[in-house]
Amino acid sequence: MKKGIALFSIGLVMLMLGIYLSINWIVIGGFLGVGGGLIMGWSTYFLAQKR
C-alpha cells in the first residue's frame, strides 16, 4: 500500500511540475507531464491490489 501511495505522490508532483515548466520549456515540461501521468497510472495497480 505504501508503494502505491509513494508512486502516486511522485507522479502527481511530476505532473504538476511538467504543467508548470511547459509554459517556458515545452519539451522538458511535456516529458515531465507525460512521465508523471504514467507513474500515476502505474501506481493504481499497486493501490488496487488486494492483500
Side-chain angles (χ1 to χ4, degrees):
M1 187 76 166
K2 294 180 189 251
K3 186 177 190 179
I5 293 172
L7 283 174
F8 183 81
S9 300
I10 292 169
L12 183 63
V13 169
M14 282 181 62
L15 181 66
M16 293 297 141
L17 186 63
I19 290 170
Y20 178 72
L21 286 178
S22 68
I23 295 170
N24 293 325
W25 299 316
I26 297 168
V27 175
I28 295 170
F31 281 133
L32 280 173
V34 170
L38 286 172
I39 291 174
M40 283 180 64
W42 186 38
S43 72
T44 58
Y45 171 76
F46 295 107
L47 290 173
Q49 264 185 349
K50 292 183 180 177
R51 294 190 182 232

